[in-house]
Amino acid sequence: DWGVYTPTGAQMSSTEVQGVLLLSDVYGAFSENTRALADKIAFECQPAVVMVPDMFRGTPWTTNATLDEDGVERNEEGKTYEGWRATHPEG
């Protein structure tokens, strides 16, 4: 899944262009900060292409976590951070 965010890139063949693989933090490939970093790297390293895979398949950790009655942060689905991590196994 290549996602929906596609900044303008160099129009060259794959043998002519270098690439940068940028792995996001827990907030995912489509967070404002990750997009800004990808854009900056692409601008500074022209004509390199920056690829940011969606490592969490559309379900990154939330930027809007709320505290429950016990003071534990939970996402929109009611999962704790550790519960969310368990849905994204390593490897």
Side-chain angles (χ1 to χ4, degrees), residues 16-76:
E16 297 174 311
V17 69
Q18 294 180 349
V20 175
L21 179 63
L22 175 63
L23 301 179
S24 69
D25 58 11
V26 297
Y27 300 110
F30 306 112
S31 72
E32 187 175 320
N33 289 340
T34 302
R35 287 182 183 197
L37 180 57
D39 285 345
K40 183 169 179 69
I41 292 169
F43 179 78
E44 296 292 332
C45 299
Q46 289 182 26
V49 173
V50 180
M51 294 169 280
V52 187
D54 183 3
M55 303 294 288
F56 305 113
R57 298 188 175 154
T59 58
W61 181 245
T62 183
T63 56
N64 300 317
T66 57
L67 295 178
D68 65 11
E69 62 274 359
D70 296 322
V72 177
E73 281 190 338
R74 296 191 177 271
N75 66 6
E76 294 84 357

